[in-house]
Amino acid sequence: MTILVTGAAGFVGYHVSQALLERGERVIGVDNLNAYYDPALKTARLDRLKQSSGFTFHHIELSDASALLQLAHHESDITGVLHFAAQAGVRYSMTNPAAFADSNVLGHVSVLEFARRLPRLKHLVYASSSSVYGRNTQLPFRETDRVDQPGSFYAVTKRAGELTSSTYSHLYGIPQTGLRFFTVYGPWGRPDMAYYSFARAISRGEDVTLYEGDALARDFTYIADVVTGVLAVFEKPPAPGEARVLNIGNHRPESVRYLVQLLERELGRSAKLRLLPRPDADVETTWACIDALHALTGWRPSTVLEDGVSRFVSWFRQYEAR
Ligand SMILES: NC(=O)c1ccc[n+]([C@@H]2O[C@H](COP(=O)([O-])OP(=O)(O)OC[C@H]3O[C@@H](n4cnc5c(N)ncnc54)[C@H](O)[C@@H]3O)[C@@H](O)[C@H]2O)c1
């Protein structure tokens, strides 16, 4: 199988590409290697993927639809598209909303325009986000919940992606699944995310900025579980014309303070906490109902936070000391 992975130099795209290559698939990776966080980390991930003969890479800006369309001419044997490229970062969407409109709205449309020109496409799986549940307070979050109160412009762009996908499936018969990821963490993770920036601050003796309130909790989902979930869904395309959306989470919210304690334990240092009010864009608690994904694929996450944080910290120590 030949599979196009967008955001292949990113955290999730890298891990999924690695798993596909290990299975013997041919992977075409696409990324613009932007500098939202240190591009050296993206290059390091890519260098590992390039060790596999099944991997080819194209430096492509997705908001420029023509670049991807050119690829469709040369790569007409693509049977799967895994679309992870996006501008991530809830708080960053308050300072640079245009970057989110470019990558997550225009970029998503480019991928769909590309997909409708692939004669052998069986399934397009794309990344959505738990942030679409926005200001909802009913927990756990279910796919059947209304999602019309986004809390950030990032969430708006992710919901726009879901709606655009649904329309493209209806109009052009593309089988699609959107996966709403819940706080994915692990080795080769994103330095802008709390678990990574906390680890950095604790190890350097710097302040850890934590938002006030004991209820601050996230459904932290370990990357290896996300990879098995993505691949399980990928094997189960919906009927042509159908676009579905599924949660992929750990189904177990954990307090952010407990995450800090685990990091302290693994790093052998205490955190210097600095408490700030929670910004409006950040939700208090996330918690995924994963019944639908389980019913479709039999998937369940298997990594508890204690083990996942331990594995993250052992990678973090090596990577930061390089
Ligand atoms: N990691 C999480 O906890 C999480 C949670 C919810 C949703 N998501 C979604 O999952 C997907 C993957 O997230 P991630 O954590 O791997 O993020 P990431 O930032 O590590 O990866 C995204 C990759 O996309 C690339 N990219 C961004 N804009 C692009 C553009 N216009 N053209 C080409 N490439 C572009 C970036 O360079 C980056 O390498 C994203 O869609 C994100 O919104 C992630």
Side-chain angles (χ1 to χ4, degrees):
M1 267 208 295
T2 301
I3 298 156
L4 182 105
V5 179
T6 75
F11 172 39
V12 176
Y14 158 71
H15 281 282
V16 173
S17 297
Q18 230 9 335
L20 288 168
L21 291 165
E22 277 162 21
R23 263 178 22 176
E25 315 290 5
R26 183 172 167 244
V27 174
I28 303 168
V30 165
D31 205 293
N32 69 357
L33 301 175
N34 70 47
Y36 165 62
Y37 61 78
D38 187 2
L41 176 55
K42 298 181 181 183
T43 312
R45 294 181 188 127
L46 268 188
D47 287 345
R48 291 166 70 89
L49 294 176
K50 285 176 181 169
Q51 285 168 17
S52 169
S53 59
F55 184 75
T56 47
F57 179 68
H58 296 267
H59 191 297
I60 281 179
E61 166 53 54
L62 286 183
S63 59
D64 171 11
S66 62
L68 210 48
L69 291 181
Q70 274 176 17
L71 198 64
H73 289 303
H74 308 297
E75 298 284 3
S76 56
D77 57 343
I78 292 172
T79 50
V81 174
L82 295 170
H83 173 39
F84 301 116
Q87 179 58 60
V90 166
R91 261 153 280 132
Y92 184 53
S93 70
M94 294 167 82
T95 53
N96 191 0
F100 290 75
D102 286 349
S103 289
N104 305 1
V105 181
L106 271 181
H108 196 87
V109 172
S110 298
V111 171
L112 291 167
E113 284 291 318
F114 170 74
R116 57 179 277 234
R117 288 167 174 81
L118 296 174
R120 300 182 58 209
L121 182 68
K122 291 194 170 66
H123 199 181
L124 163 57
V125 176
Y126 65 91
S128 185
S129 166
S130 61
S131 66
V132 300
Y133 292 106
R135 288 170 283 152
N136 290 7
T137 49
Q138 175 97 23
L139 293 167
F141 296 147
R142 294 174 196 278
E143 295 89 342
T144 47
D145 294 344
R146 291 189 65 154
V147 282
D148 48 13
Q149 297 191 90
S152 65
F153 186 60
Y154 168 68
V156 170
T157 63
K158 284 292 168 182
R159 182 67 186 136
E162 292 181 354
L163 293 170
T164 314
S165 276
S166 166
T167 303
Y168 266 71
S169 285
H170 167 66
L171 293 176
Y172 307 112
I174 308 169
Q176 292 188 70
T177 306
L179 289 172
R180 292 177 176 167
F181 292 135
F182 283 67
T183 317
V184 189
Y185 73 101
W188 295 97
R190 267 172 42 202
D192 63 309
M193 289 184 70
Y195 70 94
Y196 198 127
S197 63
F198 290 173
R200 228 180 214 168
I202 294 169
S203 62
R204 292 176 183 174
E206 296 168 355
D207 286 353
V208 169
T209 305
L210 205 60
Y211 299 134
E212 289 161 349
D214 291 334
L216 194 68
R218 290 288 176 273
D219 198 348
F220 295 105
T221 315
Y222 189 63
I223 184 64
D225 288 329
V226 167
V227 170
T228 55
V230 168
L231 296 184
V233 162
F234 187 51
E235 300 292 323
K236 303 257 179 193
E242 194 189 324
R244 64 183 170 212
V245 174
L246 296 167
N247 289 340
I248 178 164
N250 206 41
H251 187 50
R252 190 183 159 145
E254 307 262 13
S255 91
V256 177
R257 279 177 187 257
Y258 182 53
L259 168 75
V260 173
Q261 286 167 15
L262 290 177
L263 288 167
E264 289 178 315
R265 192 172 78 192
E266 291 296 329
L267 290 161
R269 290 189 77 158
S270 299
K272 285 199 263 173
L273 296 184
R274 190 164 69 100
L275 296 178
L276 289 181
R278 178 168 55 86
D280 287 340
D282 266 58
V283 300
E284 190 163 63
T285 303
T286 64
W287 179 4
C289 168
I290 53 172
D291 293 350
L293 180 53
H294 178 72
L296 179 72
T297 64
W299 176 86
R300 283 210 193 280
S302 62
T303 312
V304 293
L305 188 62
E306 293 78 1
D307 292 345
V309 168
S310 172
R311 282 177 223 158
F312 163 69
V313 169
S314 58
W315 168 82
F316 168 85
R317 283 183 191 280
Q318 278 178 24
Y319 185 75
E320 293 282 313
R322 76 201 181 283

